[in-house]
């Protein structure tokens, strides 16, 4: 089955200005500034945006609710952590926001390391962490799709639980999509059985192809009882008017990162996870992989989606993204800084090429 591709952006949900080279302006995280990003996304062809999470950042769900209230079609992809929320509380909050926005809620489940003690959470080993995530996702989906739910797991329990308001089915959409990331064996088993969308970071095409095949096989082996797993790509897209200009400016930006020792960039370096380490290891395979996947940013401070960049003209980057799409990627979460001008530039120059 061929899935229609969807294109989302990223809104920096951070306290400190200058995230990943963004413009350090007054009020960078005010409601007015963040609303200007969300409205620009609506005006320039984007479906919505990922809002990051983590202790020490503004509460993601609150920001998402505020932006949804000030927009008409913007869909927030709300990153949340199972240890920060109880499943029933979260299911109720998300169902309420989904009702109030007419079905515009998307959820990104995050199981990576965080400052758990700061909000009273604790985890055991990796098996415990992903076991809890698996239960969280299964129970939330039950609460969205069933009534009078009884559930007794290793980590969570509810008795006779019915979430209101009920999630309204909209076409094939029964509930908000659950996005999930992670590259460890434990994470992939969770994705194969519980996620709606598996998000990859910017790895080379062959690596992504292998991971897609492995996850499809896992879904079969583990008797997935949900619709087929879909796949997404979260990556920096460094687009300029010409190929030459893009590479010249990308190299300048990396030099500035090196000079500043990655300040404002390395927000994924707390307890490096398997997926992040895979990105760092790409540097050993070359500065540029495939046609234009730039690995050097990870050497000088880039983390997460800022570790590797697709660099080039709009035509160059569109060509690369189409190759990922041919592998089965149907959800794209793109970004570059400064965020607001790039929303407009890439919305006007890149998205039309991807929709042809």
């Amino acid at each position: 089955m061929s899935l229609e591709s969807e294109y989302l952006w990223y809104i920096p949900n951070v306290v400190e200005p200058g995230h990943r080279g963004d413009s350090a302006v007054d009020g960078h995280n005010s409601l007015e500034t963040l609303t200007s990003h969300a409205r620009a996304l609506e005006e320039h062809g984007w479906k919505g945006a990922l809002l990051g999470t983590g202790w020490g950042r503004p509460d993601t769900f609150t920001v998402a609710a505020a932006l949804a209230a000030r927009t008409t079609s913007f869909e927030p992809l709300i990153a949340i952590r199972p240890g920060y929320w109880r499943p029933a509380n979260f299911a109720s909050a998300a169902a309420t926001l989904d009702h109030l926005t007419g079905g515009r809620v998307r959820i990104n489940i995050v199981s990576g390391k965080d400052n758990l003690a700061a909000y009273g959470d604790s985890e055991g080993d990796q098996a415990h962490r992903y076991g809890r995530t698996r239960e969280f996702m299964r129970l939330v989906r039950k609460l969205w799709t069933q009534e009078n739910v009884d559930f007794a797991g290793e980590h969570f329990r509810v008795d006779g639980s019915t979430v209101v308001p009920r999630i309204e089915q909209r076409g094939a959409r029964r509930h908000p999509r659950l996005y999930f990331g992670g590259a460890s064996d434990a994470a992939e088993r969770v994705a194969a059985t519980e996620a709606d969308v598996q998000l990859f970071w910017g790895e080379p095409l062959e690596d992504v192809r292998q991971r897609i095949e492995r996850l499809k096989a896992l879904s079969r082996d583990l008797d997935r009882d949900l619709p087929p797993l879909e796949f997404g790509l979260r990556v920096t897209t460094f687009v300029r008017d010409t190929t030459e200009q893009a590479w010249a400016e990308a190299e300048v930006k990396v030099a500035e990162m090196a000079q500043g020792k990655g300040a404002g960039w390395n927000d994924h370096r707390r307890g490096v996870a398997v997926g992040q380490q895979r990105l760092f290891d790409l540097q050993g395979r070359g500065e540029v992989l495939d046609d234009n996947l730039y690995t050097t940013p990870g050497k000088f401070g880039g983390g997460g989606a800022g570790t590797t960049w697709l660099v080039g003209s709009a035509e160059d980057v569109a060509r690369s993204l189409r190759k990922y799409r041919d592998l089965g990627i149907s959800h794209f979460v793109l970004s570059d800084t400064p965020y607001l001008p790039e929303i407009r530039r890439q919305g006007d120059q890149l998205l039309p090429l991807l929709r042809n």
Side-chain angles (χ1 to χ4, degrees), residues 108-355:
N108 182 29
I109 304 291
V110 180
S111 286
K113 298 293 185 181
D114 195 22
N115 186 4
L116 305 181
Y119 50 91
D121 189 24
S122 62
E123 292 177 341
D125 58 14
Q126 186 188 63
H128 178 276
R129 177 158 52 102
Y130 282 106
R132 181 173 73 167
T133 298
R134 183 183 187 281
E135 275 191 20
F136 184 94
M137 295 170 77
R138 171 95 0 181
L139 178 50
V140 164
R141 189 182 277 105
K142 279 182 176 291
L143 290 166
W144 282 341
T145 58
Q146 301 176 24
E147 298 183 31
N148 300 311
V149 174
D150 294 326
F151 184 94
E154 180 182 351
H155 307 277
F156 303 112
R157 179 187 183 99
V158 298
D159 296 303
S161 183
T162 300
V163 165
V164 292
R166 302 301 298 156
I167 296 281
E168 179 182 342
Q169 183 162 342
R170 301 170 189 275
R173 179 190 185 270
R174 297 184 64 203
H175 56 73
R177 277 195 177 97
L178 294 178
Y179 292 66
F180 184 71
S184 68
D185 290 343
E188 288 191 339
R189 293 176 74 85
V190 172
T193 55
E194 305 300 330
D196 296 313
V197 180
Q198 164 74 36
L199 279 177
F200 304 123
W201 275 329
E203 296 187 58
L205 290 159
E206 177 59 21
D207 294 31
V208 170
R209 186 195 66 77
Q210 291 177 12
R211 292 195 62 195
I212 288 174
E213 291 305 312
R214 185 164 62 249
L215 283 161
K216 286 181 175 179
L218 267 177
S219 294
R220 294 190 295 269
D221 294 344
L222 298 175
D223 296 323
R224 178 183 173 92
D225 58 359
L226 300 171
L229 180 63
E230 299 174 21
F231 303 101
L233 181 71
R234 170 75 186 102
V235 67
T236 294
T237 42
F238 196 99
V239 175
R240 297 296 184 267
D241 292 339
T242 67
T243 304
E244 295 75 17
Q245 181 188 1
W247 281 107
E249 293 190 19
E251 290 171 358
V252 168
K253 198 165 191 175
V254 167
E256 292 171 349
M257 291 168 60
Q259 186 176 15
K261 299 181 179 179
W265 282 81
N266 51 10
D267 54 350
H268 281 268
R269 295 191 175 225
R270 180 202 301 269
V272 177
V274 171
Q276 179 65 79
Q277 189 59 55
R278 284 171 65 99
L279 293 185
F280 288 151
D281 290 346
L282 293 176
Q283 299 160 31
R285 290 159 59 178
E287 275 197 298
V288 181
L289 303 178
D290 295 334
D291 296 324
N292 57 341
L293 185 67
Y294 192 28
T295 67
T296 307
K299 183 178 180 180
F300 295 108
T307 313
T308 58
W309 307 348
L310 288 172
V311 178
S313 66
E315 291 80 5
D316 296 333
V317 173
R319 188 181 308 114
S320 295
L321 292 175
R322 283 194 291 266
K323 291 178 181 179
Y324 286 101
R325 192 170 62 190
D326 291 343
L327 294 177
I329 301 291
S330 55
H331 300 262
F332 294 87
V333 185
L334 312 178
S335 67
D336 187 26
T337 57
Y339 291 109
L340 184 55
E342 289 303 317
I343 287 171
R344 299 172 179 136
R345 182 210 301 265
Q346 297 193 31
D348 294 345
Q349 295 181 12
L350 179 63
L351 291 189
L353 298 176
L354 295 169
R355 293 193 170 114

